[in-house]
Amino acid sequence: MNIDQESISQIEIERDTTDMLIGNSFIGFLMTMFAFSGLLFFFESDSPSIFAQKFQVWMVMMGVLIARLLDAIYWRIKLVGTNYNPRPVLIRFSIGLFTTGSIWGLYSILFYPTMATVELAATMVVLSAMSGGAGTVLSPNKYLVGFYTTALLIPMSLCAILDESGEFFVLGVLGVVFWFGMFTSAFRYHKFFINTLYIKAKNNKLVEQMKIERNETEKVNQLLIASNQKLDASNLNLEAEVERRTAELYRLSNRDPLTDLPNRNGFLKHLNNLLDTTRALDNSLAVLFIDLDGFKQVNDSLGHKIGDIVLAEIAKRLRNYTEDNHLGRWGGDEFVAVIPYANIDTAKAVAHAMRSGVTIPILADDNQITLDATIGIAMFPSHGDAALDLIQHADLTMYDQKRKQRGSVSVFNEALHAEIKIEQKQCERLRTAIENGELSVFYQPIIDVNTNTVFTVEALLRWKCEDDYISPAVFIPLAERSGLMPEIGAWVLNRALIDLSHWSFGNEISMSVNVSVAQMLDDGFSKILDSALKSTQIAPTQLHLEITESVFAIDKKLIGERVSELVDRNVKISIDDFGTGYSSLSRLQSIPFDFIKIDRSFIQNRTEESDTIIRATILMAKEFGCKTIAEGIETAEQKAHVSALGADYLQGFYYAKPMDANNLISWYNENY
């Protein structure tokens, strides 16, 4: 008798489980249809083929859902309330659910690479919400809930984690964490549900067998009511957890984790909303692009941990000058801010206040750090109508101002825009100048005062663009700003040494080549130099490298090390533009320079003060064992005067203007 009772109870439990699964599935069918259709038709695909593939998958999904719906309707009409065999019904339901989950997983894997950021976030939110619902609805069968939640969340999460860009790594991890939480909760809920069904089955047997014991029956009913209340409470808790995790996913996709400011995506959304409101009210607003000055040195010298502390503190300070969500972190040490209902004067005032806030010293792990900021401003609607245009114009303004004067504020203007466009065009043309044969090297002789012979020649870069020579004063700074100087400098060095190796003058002359800051800071410069000397068979002592004195203001320790490496190679070193730069005497004391070039300004502006500087320079050079070269000699009077002051070598138009290699040979043959 007990065996029969247990057998009947098991069938009842399976039937109740099947009834619960199918009875709660109707809403799930509709939600799946709407969710799948929304993801397909709401987010347009740039590729027709991708859309076609998505539509095919959609058709399959709709077919499966319709088949499942018809089967559920048949169950509702023909089987509910009868003593039907639950096993075939449960098998058909399971096949349909496995097929639906497989289609979801296939959709995530196939179309993840094609999803934009917003579509990816929306898909993850939809899958998370559906997984949360399925965790409750499917909990009567632990195998079904385990498969379905896994099929919904794991493929998309793994795609995000394994994405080479790393952009959605956090989103993928959160998806896995959410799956694990739902998976664990659903299994606990299943166990509780099954226990409840067993209790219900046993109580039903007691009711059938013990109708006279009404008091006991009432107690059983109360127990069932309490169990149902617990189930309701569990459902509420699950729903609350789903909402909380959905909100957390949205926050992570729109906020910067370090500063808790809106990230690029979040700020753009907020700015677009503000622009819509401002447009409707026919008002104006200002966009500020803020770049920190000196932050790279903090990261390089003190480490990224200190850098993060500094960024968090700067963000906290900048918040004081804006309303909530009006400040965002654009990336790295760059911030953007929007000032609604502002004119240019208001925007400038806020920008200067922000600078003042940034410049207050920051104490981080016993390190006192002082930074500054350069800020560019763009106004709506006068400087742009779209969010990205305004940010770009503010960024360009900041960049231009940073070149001119760090730690300042500037407002966008069309002239600046045009200037930047011209510079960009020149920069692109300069990138191909070597390949197109537009660059050339001219040479100007340097004369020995005592022998009146050519001691060395200086290599001078020229750029002929569309039949016009562009001044080095224009394109050299352009090359330095665009990062082209190491490549161009290497070409000049090789070209000059090749020409020198082909000359057969009466006396052995040397080649003087200018070296830029970018070349000195380039780790590969020494290898380039060694390769050029080796390929041309030029002795290192025949090569003079001219280094502008002001270069030591960049990083005197590093530059000093690089100069010492050159000296160790027996290359001769000249200080160019001496007397106009940085810490002259201290440099002469620490590094064995060979030549000092007296700047042409002291030659051209002949005054008692200039003569005093020239005499002092010559005296210092002799004390340190250096020779002096006077630039800018244009007249016989200047030649005689500077020679009388004691200069060792002279250079200038008086002897020869810069000329190409062929003309130099002709000039030499005519004069020597």
Side-chain angles (χ1 to χ4, degrees), residues 210-221:
M210 303 175 66
K211 293 182 180 180
I212 59 173
E213 299 183 9
R214 298 185 180 276
N215 291 334
E216 289 296 323
T217 302
E218 184 65 24
K219 291 180 180 179
V220 172
N221 289 334

Side-chain angles (χ1 to χ4, degrees), residues 396-397 400 404 411-421:
L396 287 174
T397 305
D400 182 71
K404 298 174 181 176
V411 180
F412 176 83
N413 61 78
E414 290 299 332
L416 168 63
H417 197 198
E419 179 185 333
I420 292 173
K421 283 186 175 180

Side-chain angles (χ1 to χ4, degrees), residues 518-584:
Q519 288 177 274
M520 294 297 295
L521 296 177
D522 186 12
D523 293 333
F525 178 65
S526 296
K527 292 182 178 179
I528 293 171
L529 175 63
D530 293 339
S531 176
L533 290 171
K534 183 179 180 181
S535 63
T536 59
Q537 297 296 305
I538 298 296
T541 53
Q542 283 184 266
L543 177 61
H544 301 183
L545 296 181
E546 294 190 16
I547 303 171
T548 303
E549 183 190 358
S550 58
V551 74
F552 295 100
I554 306 297
D555 189 336
K556 60 182 180 182
K557 181 181 179 182
L558 178 59
I559 296 297
E561 292 174 353
R562 297 293 168 83
V563 172
S564 297
E565 292 176 4
L566 298 175
V567 172
D568 292 339
R569 287 173 164 79
N570 291 323
V571 173
K572 303 299 182 181
I573 305 297
S574 299
I575 305 179
D576 199 9
D577 300 334
F578 186 82
T580 64
Y582 172 81
S583 188
S584 308

Side-chain angles (χ1 to χ4, degrees), residues 383-592:
H383 299 155
D385 186 69
L388 283 174
D389 288 343
L390 289 167
I391 293 173
Q392 183 184 26
H393 290 167
D395 184 15
L396 287 174
T397 305
M398 179 281 300
Y399 174 75
D400 182 71
Q401 191 64 20
K402 205 176 187 73
R403 291 187 304 175
K404 298 174 181 176
Q405 184 183 353
R406 290 175 173 246
S408 58
V409 175
S410 183
V411 180
F412 176 83
N413 61 78
E414 290 299 332
L416 168 63
H417 197 198
E419 179 185 333
I420 292 173
K421 283 186 175 180
I422 293 172
E423 182 174 301
Q424 288 174 340
K425 284 185 179 180
Q426 286 185 328
C427 184
E428 290 302 316
R429 186 64 185 268
L430 185 57
R431 291 182 188 278
T432 61
I434 297 176
E435 181 180 338
N436 295 336
E438 296 175 356
L439 295 183
S440 60
V441 179
F442 278 33
Y443 302 97
Q444 188 176 36
I446 298 174
I447 308 301
D448 189 320
V449 171
N450 295 322
T451 63
N452 201 35
T453 58
V454 179
F455 169 66
T456 184
V457 294
E458 181 179 359
L460 300 168
L461 181 62
R462 295 292 183 264
W463 181 22
K464 190 177 183 181
C465 182
E466 297 180 351
D467 298 326
D468 291 325
Y469 281 103
I470 298 178
S471 171
V474 174
F475 74 81
I476 293 296
L478 179 64
E480 291 176 341
R481 290 195 297 270
S482 59
L484 297 173
M485 206 57 227
E487 179 185 354
I488 293 175
W491 180 84
V492 172
L493 176 64
N494 279 278
R495 182 70 265 166
L497 291 181
I498 290 172
D499 286 345
L500 179 62
S501 68
H502 293 161
W503 293 338
S504 301
F505 295 147
N507 59 307
E508 186 181 83
I509 63 173
S510 303
M511 180 64 69
S512 183
V513 181
N514 291 276
V515 180
S516 69
V517 176
Q519 288 177 274
M520 294 297 295
L521 296 177
D522 186 12
D523 293 333
F525 178 65
S526 296
K527 292 182 178 179
I528 293 171
L529 175 63
D530 293 339
S531 176
L533 290 171
K534 183 179 180 181
S535 63
T536 59
Q537 297 296 305
I538 298 296
T541 53
Q542 283 184 266
L543 177 61
H544 301 183
L545 296 181
E546 294 190 16
I547 303 171
T548 303
E549 183 190 358
S550 58
V551 74
F552 295 100
I554 306 297
D555 189 336
K556 60 182 180 182
K557 181 181 179 182
L558 178 59
I559 296 297
E561 292 174 353
R562 297 293 168 83
V563 172
S564 297
E565 292 176 4
L566 298 175
V567 172
D568 292 339
R569 287 173 164 79
N570 291 323
V571 173
K572 303 299 182 181
I573 305 297
S574 299
I575 305 179
D576 199 9
D577 300 334
F578 186 82
T580 64
Y582 172 81
S583 188
S584 308
L585 187 58
S586 64
R587 283 303 100 202
L588 289 173
Q589 289 177 322
S590 60
I591 297 177

Side-chain angles (χ1 to χ4, degrees), residues 294-304 306-307 310 369-371:
F295 180 75
K296 184 178 184 300
Q297 288 79 359
V298 173
N299 265 346
D300 293 344
S301 59
L302 301 178
H304 290 277
I306 300 297
V310 171
I369 300 164
T370 302
L371 301 177

Side-chain angles (χ1 to χ4, degrees), residues 31-213:
M31 293 300 296
T32 303
M33 287 180 179
F34 284 118
F36 204 91
S37 299
L39 291 177
L40 173 63
F41 296 106
F42 184 81
F43 297 99
E44 298 182 359
S45 179
D46 296 332
S47 172
S49 62
I50 296 298
F51 180 81
Q53 294 175 11
K54 287 185 177 180
F55 187 77
Q56 292 174 359
V57 176
W58 177 83
M59 291 288 291
V60 174
M61 175 65 88
M62 294 301 108
V64 172
L65 291 175
I66 291 171
R68 295 182 64 193
L69 181 61
L70 292 174
D71 185 67
I73 293 173
Y74 171 80
W75 166 86
R76 174 73 72 181
I77 297 174
K78 296 292 186 180
L79 302 180
V80 173
T82 67
N83 292 326
Y84 69 93
N85 184 3
R87 190 61 57 84
V89 180
L90 182 59
I91 290 174
R92 292 198 302 273
F93 180 86
S94 300
I95 292 173
L97 185 74
F98 273 83
T99 305
T100 304
S102 299
I103 295 173
W104 274 117
L106 180 64
Y107 181 91
S108 299
I109 295 171
L110 284 178
F111 302 113
Y112 173 87
T114 68
M115 295 181 186
T117 301
V118 176
E119 183 181 357
L120 179 61
T123 303
M124 182 62 81
V125 169
V126 168
L127 294 177
S128 299
M130 293 188 65
S131 178
T136 302
V137 174
L138 300 178
S139 61
N141 190 306
K142 62 183 179 181
Y143 302 105
L144 294 181
V145 71
F147 168 79
Y148 199 66
T149 56
T150 301
L152 261 61
L153 291 176
I154 292 302
M156 178 64 74
S157 299
L158 290 179
C159 287
I161 292 173
L162 299 175
D163 195 330
E164 293 181 357
S165 68
E167 185 178 359
F168 306 108
F169 180 81
V170 174
L171 191 64
V173 172
L174 288 175
V176 174
V177 172
F178 183 72
W179 165 82
F180 182 77
M182 293 302 304
F183 197 82
T184 305
S185 300
F187 270 53
R188 289 199 301 267
Y189 187 64
H190 165 76
K191 185 178 180 180
F192 182 78
F193 177 82
I194 294 300
N195 289 338
T196 302
L197 288 183
Y198 272 104
I199 294 172
K200 178 184 176 183
K202 290 179 180 180
N203 286 338
N204 288 337
K205 287 294 182 182
L206 289 174
V207 170
E208 293 174 1
Q209 296 174 8
M210 303 175 66
K211 293 182 180 180
I212 59 173
E213 299 183 9

